[in-house]
Amino acid sequence: MSDPSVIREHLEVVGSDGGHVGTVDSLDGQRIKLTRTDPDAGGEHHYLHLDVVDRVEGDKVILNRTRAQAQDEWGVKAVGSS
């Protein structure tokens, strides 16, 4: 991600498959603090490294890997799991 300033709070984060992952809570250095927003998650917070971000399109942060790959690589097991 060349310009993280385009990532704003409350943008939806989606995987490259279009599936909902969560919502941006804030930026922490080179990481996105992410809040899972589905009802069963209870507002859990996780972090994704900016390297997994492909682009920001409208109100969505689109990841450049599938959710499963991002989970394996960045240790965010709970994010995007069902």
Side-chain angles (χ1 to χ4, degrees):
M1 180 89 212
S2 57
D3 184 11
S5 69
V6 299
I7 298 176
R8 306 268 185 246
E9 288 183 25
H10 311 303
L11 294 184
E12 181 184 10
V13 179
V14 298
S16 56
D17 59 356
H20 176 81
V21 176
T23 304
V24 176
D25 184 49
S26 63
L27 285 179
D28 174 23
Q30 290 298 303
R31 302 181 305 170
I32 298 170
K33 184 177 181 187
L34 183 73
T35 303
R36 270 191 77 191
T37 51
D38 53 330
D40 297 332
E44 295 173 351
H45 295 288
H46 300 274
Y47 290 90
L48 284 177
H49 196 276
L50 289 177
D51 283 352
V52 304
V53 174
D54 182 40
R55 65 192 182 280
V56 176
E57 197 171 274
D59 61 351
K60 295 187 188 325
V61 175
I62 299 170
L63 305 182
N64 64 2
R65 295 175 173 85
T66 64
R67 288 176 289 168
Q69 288 170 316
Q71 289 166 25
D72 290 344
E73 292 174 24
W74 302 108
V76 287
K77 246 187 270 187
V79 173
S81 61
S82 48

